[in-house]
Amino acid sequence: MKTWSEVAQVQPLASKIITNSMKKGRVSHAYLLQGERGTGKEEISLLLAMALFCKHTSDAEPCHDCNTCKRITSGNHPDVHWIEPEGQSIKIEQIKNLQKEFTYSGLESNQKVYIIKGADTLTLNAANRILKFLEEPSKKTTAIMLTDNSQSIIPTIRSRCQIIDLQPLNPLHFQKQLMDAGLTEANARLMSALTNNLDEAIAWNEDEWFAEARKLMVQLVEMFSSNPNDVYLYIHNHWIPHFKEKKQLEQGMDLLLLAFRDMLYYHLEKGETMVVFQKDDEKLEMAVMYFSQEKLMAILHAILQAKQKLKLNVHPTLVMEQLTLQIKR
């Protein structure tokens, strides 16, 4: 999404709110863009920053060709600052450095824009520190906060921002985009369940590591129903060596979640919504016979809990071992 007209096709309400406020000269001092991954938070932030600085806008649309637009797009404009988590959170030191920037005039104009990615990861001290700007905004300073999880934003911050809700992408429309990009229908269905980001989905589809991850997931699910006594050994010999990094293990958990959800859908006669298995897959039928609806509900809950433990920095190997035992019970 590189223009407001493109944004309007995917996020019509967000596009209308922002462009109308710009045309009327009523840009908010702080925005909170909240929505799932891939819904366009960063693209909208970039467009808003460009529109605020570009000298050749037309109906709130930046020209995209001037030196200012190009530098903002490349991340090299001195008055547009991106803040993102260092590790698991945005720390108070980062906000202190940001506050120092508040005290300086813009290098090329009086306008300044701060884009805070993962605003829900602000530590409590960092969040309280950012309130100073939100409570005493400069007329020429605009903060844009981005979050996948709006409920983790403290109320005092939310109350000082114009909140813009980004709607989930239409999965069928996204699947069509993926198939137009060369993915098979089955792969497009799976990728649309894992991500809303087109480039990410295409990259995963071509990634050998991901192909192996998908294969390991199917083998693991099959072992739970056909050879449960060897599952623990399989986890240590195959699963953990492949999913070495925390982010990779989270992706593996997502694949497991979709596989067990497929089984539940099969029980509920909702085969058309499955994304990992096909209706006539023998492996699926065998697994469904082994797991009851009640057991599948418990497994889905256990996987979600395991994902939460990963976010809390519990050791990945321990998380996977505990999950394996819960599924086997």
Side-chain angles (χ1 to χ4, degrees):
M1 298 186 291
K2 296 182 179 179
T3 65
W4 288 119
S5 58
E6 290 180 4
V7 172
Q9 294 177 20
V10 181
Q11 300 291 351
L13 183 58
S15 176
K16 185 176 181 180
I17 290 172
I18 295 174
T19 54
N20 282 348
S21 66
M22 293 199 67
K23 291 173 185 177
K24 296 176 181 177
R26 297 177 181 173
V27 175
S28 176
H29 74 282
Y31 290 96
L32 175 60
L33 305 185
Q34 54 188 34
E36 298 174 0
R37 287 181 64 218
T39 48
K41 294 186 290 294
E42 290 187 34
E43 292 94 333
I44 292 171
S45 301
L46 197 62
L47 262 176
L48 178 53
M50 290 167 67
L52 288 170
F53 283 94
C54 181
K55 305 295 185 183
H56 312 287
T57 56
S58 176
D59 287 331
E61 188 71 62
C63 74
H64 300 272
D65 294 322
C66 69
N67 187 43
T68 296
C69 285
K70 290 178 179 178
R71 282 192 297 161
I72 292 174
T73 301
S74 65
N76 292 318
H77 196 287
D79 294 323
V80 178
H81 302 270
W82 289 80
I83 308 296
E84 54 186 289
E86 289 184 356
Q88 297 296 312
S89 62
I90 296 175
K91 300 173 175 59
I92 191 168
E93 290 78 13
Q94 293 174 268
I95 303 305
K96 285 180 180 178
N97 291 333
L98 189 61
Q99 284 182 313
K100 289 180 182 177
E101 292 290 338
F102 292 163
T103 63
Y104 306 140
S105 298
L107 292 179
E108 299 187 6
S109 70
N110 290 327
Q111 180 73 53
K112 279 193 172 189
V113 170
Y114 302 91
I115 303 170
I116 303 177
K117 296 171 59 177
D120 51 286
T121 69
L122 283 161
T123 64
L124 184 58
N125 286 337
N128 287 329
R129 194 100 185 185
I130 201 72
L131 280 174
K132 179 174 176 58
F133 160 70
L134 298 176
E135 290 170 347
E136 303 172 8
S138 163
K139 290 183 179 180
K140 288 290 187 177
T141 302
T142 302
I144 309 171
M145 307 180 74
L146 317 181
T147 179
D148 298 347
N149 182 13
S150 61
Q151 298 307 311
S152 295
I153 305 291
I154 62 174
T156 44
I157 285 182
R158 290 176 58 85
S159 65
R160 288 164 176 78
C161 296
Q162 179 172 358
I163 298 174
I164 298 180
D165 290 303
L166 302 182
Q167 300 304 308
L169 299 185
N170 184 317
L172 295 179
H173 175 70
F174 187 52
Q175 287 170 27
K176 183 179 182 305
Q177 284 184 299
L178 292 172
M179 287 188 283
D180 289 343
L183 275 70
T184 64
E185 182 179 354
N187 284 350
R189 233 181 9 253
L190 174 62
M191 294 302 173
S192 69
L194 289 169
T195 179
N196 288 323
N197 187 294
L198 182 64
D199 293 335
E200 189 173 59
I202 293 172
W204 287 352
N205 186 64
E206 298 171 350
D207 184 18
E208 291 183 7
W209 180 91
F210 182 84
E212 181 66 16
R214 186 176 179 179
K215 177 183 173 183
L216 290 173
M217 175 270 296
V218 173
Q219 290 176 347
L220 178 58
V221 169
E222 185 180 6
M223 287 196 72
F224 275 119
S225 57
S226 64
N227 199 7
N229 290 333
D230 289 338
V231 167
Y232 199 75
L233 189 62
Y234 180 86
I235 288 293
H236 280 276
N237 289 345
H238 300 282
W239 186 275
I240 292 173
H242 187 71
F243 299 92
K244 295 177 183 177
E245 299 177 8
K246 177 181 168 184
K247 201 166 188 180
Q248 292 176 333
L249 185 52
E250 287 178 344
Q251 198 168 29
M253 297 272 188
D254 286 336
L255 286 168
L256 281 176
L257 192 69
L258 292 175
F260 282 104
R261 192 184 70 177
D262 274 6
M263 294 181 216
L264 182 60
Y265 283 163
Y266 189 91
H267 268 295
L268 300 173
E269 299 182 355
K270 293 183 177 180
E272 69 283 353
T273 59
M274 295 190 303
V275 296
V276 174
F277 298 105
Q278 303 296 318
K279 289 183 183 179
D280 56 353
D281 192 320
E282 291 182 3
K283 295 177 182 178
L284 171 65
E285 292 178 358
M286 185 176 179
V288 167
M289 291 176 62
Y290 186 80
F291 294 109
S292 66
Q293 290 186 38
E294 183 180 3
K295 177 62 177 176
L296 288 169
M297 290 292 291
I299 290 172
L300 292 175
H301 180 67
I303 296 173
L304 291 173
Q305 282 188 320
K307 289 185 65 176
Q308 186 61 34
K309 288 176 183 177
L310 285 177
K311 291 184 183 298
L312 296 174
N313 289 325
V314 179
H315 195 282
T317 299
L318 179 60
V319 171
M320 196 62 207
E321 288 175 347
Q322 290 176 338
L323 178 61
T324 300
L325 291 174
Q326 288 176 298
I327 295 175
K328 277 187 62 178
R329 284 175 188 165

